């Protein structure tokens, strides 16, 4: 299925953006990646040309959107480390909020019709109740979450004035890798639990630190909602189809709808790799809620979103395969 215009994937050299490019290529959609390679890697950009640009270069960005005939933007580019956002909030306001304002200015100038924003469950902060619906109050507890909430509001305000349709997609914990092992999760420094657990199991990293063993959860460790990156990307394609067919706007949670504890992940990695994972139970981190789980019934109802690959065994098998393939290539 080919859309009328080109899709600009900001952050297409990063973890989720590169998976989105792979899925768009499978649908024979024309795309262009805009990325400054600050955390992404050049070799993850394989399915679309790369415009190596910073989002805040508004003029060059506008010119790129016009030259490629872009009518749709999937906006993944952002700084996305919660801890760093606490120690260096200026960087987050500059890159995430400044980048979004520049991008929306360029989109208005280039006549972009459809916009999809990567938002986050971090905008909900510590929810009063789980599962979390889209109506749950948004009270972020760190600058990263605040910048995402500001981006949501900016999109609502500016899209209203520019006749742009938008989808705000609030991701929970994105994990796994494309099943063919073509791409992998890659963050530097790595802070995500599944890669860290795989590194610890392989003896490539220190013992896994599990923050808090005394939460009021069945095994005492925190519960999060892990969604397979391929399911998440599918949610974007469904949102695009929906906006193209019906216009309007969407605000949706994208998760698996299931909670998984840190120690369940450890157990699953041990089973799948048949190796022990050295674990150190560390003190709780400030601001870490005991459980964050998405209610995904709206995405199911509106888009027909079904997270088929988001079972824990599939996520970990795909992630482990992608790391093993990369290690094999490195030798
Ligand atoms: N990974 C998750 O679990 C998760 C959860 C919720 C939301 N998100 C959001 O999803 C998006 C993608 O996350 P990811 O895990 O793929 O991160 P990532 O760091 O792998 O990718 C981000 C990409 O954006 C690029 N980038 C950053 N700032 C830029 C700028 N100013 N101009 C041009 N390019 C820039 C980076 O070089 C990188 O390639 C982010 O917006 C993040 O906040 C991720």
């Amino acid at each position: 299925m080919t859309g009328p215009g080109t899709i600009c994937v900001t952050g297409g050299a990063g973890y989720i953006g590169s998976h989105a490019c792979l899925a768009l290529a499978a649908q024979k959609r024309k795309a262009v990646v805009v990325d400054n390679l600050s955390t992404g890697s050049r070799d993850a950009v394989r399915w679309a040309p790369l415009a190596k640009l910073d989002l805040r270069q508004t003029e060059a960005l506008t010119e790129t959107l016009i030259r490629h005939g872009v009518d749709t933007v999937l906006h993944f580019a952002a700084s996305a480390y919660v801890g760093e956002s606490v120690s260096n909030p200026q960087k987050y306001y500059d890159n995430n909020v400044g980048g979004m304002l520049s991008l929306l200015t360029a989109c208005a100038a280039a006549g972009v019709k459809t916009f999809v924003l990567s938002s986050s469950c971090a905008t909900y902060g510590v929810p009063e109740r789980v599962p979390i619906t889209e109506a749950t109050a948004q009270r972020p507890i760190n600058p990263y979450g605040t910048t995402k909430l500001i981006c949501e509001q900016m999109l609502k305000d500016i899209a209203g004035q520019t006749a742009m349709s938008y989808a705000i997609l609030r991701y929970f914990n994105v994990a796994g890798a494309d099943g063919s092992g073509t791409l992998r999760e890659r963050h530097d420094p790595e802070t995500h639990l599944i890669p860290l657990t795989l590194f610890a199991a392989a003896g490539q990293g220190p013992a896994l630190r599990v923050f808090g063993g005394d939460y009021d959860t069945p095994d005492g460790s925190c519960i999060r909602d892990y969604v397979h990156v391929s399911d998440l990307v599918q949610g974007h394609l469904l949102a695009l189809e929906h906006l193209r067919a019906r216009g309007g706007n969407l605000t949706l949670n994208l998760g698996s709808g299931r909670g998984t504890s840190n120690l369940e992940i450890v157990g699953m990695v041990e089973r799948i790799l048949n190796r022990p994972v050295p674990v150190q139970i560390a003190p709780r981190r400030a601001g870490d809620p005991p459980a964050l789980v998405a209610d995904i019934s709206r995405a199911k109802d509106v888009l027909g979103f079904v997270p088929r690959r988001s079972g824990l065994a599939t996520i970990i098998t795909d992630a482990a395969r992608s790391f093993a393939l990369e290690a094999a290539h490195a030798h």
Side-chain angles (χ1 to χ4, degrees):
M1 190 193 333
T2 310
T6 302
I7 300 178
C8 171
V9 181
T10 77
Y15 167 46
I16 304 173
S18 58
H19 279 85
C21 290
L22 174 63
L24 291 170
Q27 292 202 341
K28 307 226 177 313
R29 296 199 184 180
K30 220 170 147 205
V32 57
V33 168
V34 168
D35 201 299
N36 64 1
L37 303 183
S38 54
T39 59
S41 48
R42 177 69 189 83
D43 65 5
V45 186
R46 282 177 245 164
W47 298 277
L50 170 67
K52 187 169 178 287
L53 279 179
D54 191 289
L55 288 179
R56 293 159 291 188
Q57 295 172 258
T58 316
E59 258 180 53
L61 188 56
T62 307
E63 190 272 321
T64 301
L65 298 180
I66 293 172
R67 185 156 40 85
H68 287 271
V70 170
D71 68 354
T72 300
V73 170
L74 296 181
H75 179 36
F76 297 103
S79 298
Y81 290 114
V82 169
E84 184 188 51
S85 81
V86 175
S87 58
N88 189 359
Q90 289 91 334
K91 173 176 175 181
Y92 279 69
Y93 285 95
D94 187 2
N95 201 34
N96 296 0
V97 178
M100 178 77 173
L101 181 57
S102 170
L103 176 60
L104 286 175
T105 304
C107 286
V112 169
K113 303 266 177 306
T114 311
F115 193 101
V116 180
L117 171 66
S118 302
S119 188
S120 167
C121 65
T123 61
Y124 294 115
V126 182
E128 272 160 17
R129 239 168 276 113
V130 285
I132 298 169
T133 72
E134 290 81 356
T136 298
Q138 290 178 287
R139 294 193 205 102
I141 55 164
N142 50 59
Y144 167 68
T146 306
T147 62
K148 288 286 172 180
L149 184 55
I150 293 171
C151 288
E152 288 193 9
Q153 190 58 50
M154 202 191 292
L155 179 57
K156 291 176 189 169
D157 291 340
I158 295 177
Q161 287 306 311
T162 54
M164 197 158 61
S165 271
Y166 66 79
I168 292 168
L169 302 179
R170 297 182 187 142
Y171 313 161
F172 282 64
N173 289 48
V174 188
D178 164 59
S180 67
T182 316
L183 289 167
R184 77 160 174 87
E185 179 164 7
R186 199 194 298 238
H187 293 107
D188 188 16
E190 190 52 76
T191 57
H192 292 222
L193 183 62
I194 291 175
L196 289 176
T197 310
L198 291 168
F199 292 153
Q204 290 167 355
L208 179 75
R209 284 204 299 164
V210 168
F211 296 99
D214 56 353
Y215 282 100
D216 187 15
T217 58
D219 63 22
S221 65
C222 277
I223 291 176
R224 296 290 179 267
D225 179 319
Y226 294 87
V227 58
H228 194 294
V229 64
S230 301
D231 287 337
L232 182 92
V233 163
Q234 192 55 34
H236 288 64
L237 300 182
L238 292 170
L240 283 185
E241 264 169 44
H242 186 280
L243 294 179
R244 284 209 175 121
R246 303 190 194 187
N249 304 309
L250 295 168
T251 298
L252 298 170
N253 287 338
L254 289 182
S256 66
R258 238 195 12 262
T260 301
S261 77
N262 289 351
L263 292 177
E264 278 178 83
I265 288 184
V266 170
M268 185 62 84
V269 167
E270 288 182 329
R271 259 198 303 288
I272 287 174
L273 297 189
N274 199 19
R275 284 173 184 220
V277 174
V279 169
Q280 181 205 338
I281 303 289
R284 294 180 183 198
R285 281 186 302 203
D288 250 354
L292 292 173
V293 181
D295 181 329
I296 55 167
S297 40
R298 195 190 280 182
K300 281 187 173 158
D301 293 347
V302 177
L303 300 181
F305 174 67
V306 183
R308 288 196 179 82
R309 296 192 68 77
S310 295
L312 190 59
T314 306
I315 287 180
I316 289 176
T317 303
D318 285 352
R321 186 192 300 117
S322 69
F323 282 103
L325 283 173
E326 174 158 295
H329 285 140
H331 287 111

